[in-house]
Amino acid sequence: AKSKWASVKRWIRMKIPSILSLQETKFQIAGKHNLEGYFSYEHLRTEKTGGGGIFMAVKKELNPALVRDGGEEVEALTVNIFVKKMGIVCTTAYGPQENDLKKKKTDFWRFLGEEAKRAEDHGKGYILQGDLNAWLGQKIIPKDPRKQNETGKLMEIFLKQNNLTVVNGLDICKGVFTRIQ
């Protein structure tokens, strides 16, 4: 992650995103990755496996406020933002691996469901972005080259329960995945 941080900052200066979400940051020291003009939020993995970690940077003019960190059980962060007078709940997450225990997956999707429900209950929009380790298949993303995996089935249930749409599956999306290497 350290070697990539300079290129991330260059990309931000070029693109000037309103929100930046990163997964698998491998950051080990909190508060070290601040960006001018942004509030930064991070969740460091406490177990020293060398992986994991998430990061979200939000432009200051969106008046972001950290709402919830998934803690030890769920690698997720939720931040509220405001676009004009509209409130939006933004969650970034790194999902469990396909071979993780069912309880870890259930806890993860329950947390995300709570965030989506809270947004709905407060009349706010909801955006979920992350590396969810869910292969959704062509039923949800028409150009998806992979078949739906078990985690994808859990995500499909989450999407239906919360009346959400996957942007990658819409005609306006230029690619199958919204990922930058």
Side-chain angles (χ1 to χ4, degrees), residues 5 11 13 42 73 95 98 107 117 140 154 159 175 177:
W5 188 243
W11 182 87
R13 281 193 300 274
E42 54 194 327
E73 306 303 317
E98 183 69 7
D107 290 347
K117 176 84 169 99
I140 297 172
L154 294 172
L159 292 168
F177 307 105

Side-chain angles (χ1 to χ4, degrees), residues 55-178:
F55 175 86
M56 186 187 297
V58 183
K59 287 187 112 183
K60 289 182 177 180
E61 58 260 27
L62 295 178
N63 299 311
L66 179 65
V67 175
R68 189 171 175 206
D69 183 314
E72 296 295 316
E73 306 303 317
V74 177
E75 227 166 321
L77 289 171
T78 298
V79 174
N80 282 352
I81 64 168
F82 296 90
V83 176
K84 297 185 181 177
K85 292 186 179 186
M86 185 172 102
I88 303 172
V89 175
C90 300
T91 300
T92 188
Y94 181 52
Q97 300 297 315
E98 183 69 7
N99 62 352
D100 276 329
L101 295 175
K102 178 101 172 151
K103 180 184 179 344
K104 185 171 184 172
K105 292 179 191 179
T106 303
D107 290 347
F108 178 79
W109 291 104
R110 182 181 308 117
F111 178 93
L112 296 181
E114 290 167 0
E115 298 305 270
K117 176 84 169 99
R118 187 175 51 75
E120 181 183 14
D121 289 349
H122 290 96
K124 296 180 179 181
Y126 184 68
I127 297 172
L128 168 62
Q129 189 284 327
D131 179 348
L132 307 177
N133 288 306
W135 299 356
L136 295 171
Q138 293 184 354
K139 180 177 165 187
I140 297 172
I141 302 176
K143 297 176 188 171
D144 195 337
R146 297 182 275 193
K147 292 183 178 185
Q148 189 178 62
N149 64 5
E150 287 301 315
T151 304
K153 290 175 185 173
L154 294 172
M155 184 171 178
E156 183 177 8
I157 292 166
F158 162 80
L159 292 168
K160 286 179 182 174
Q161 288 175 340
N162 295 288
N163 195 29
L164 296 173
T165 301
V166 176
V167 173
N168 304 59
L170 299 175
D171 291 337
I172 60 169
C173 189
K174 293 179 183 175
V176 177
F177 307 105
T178 52

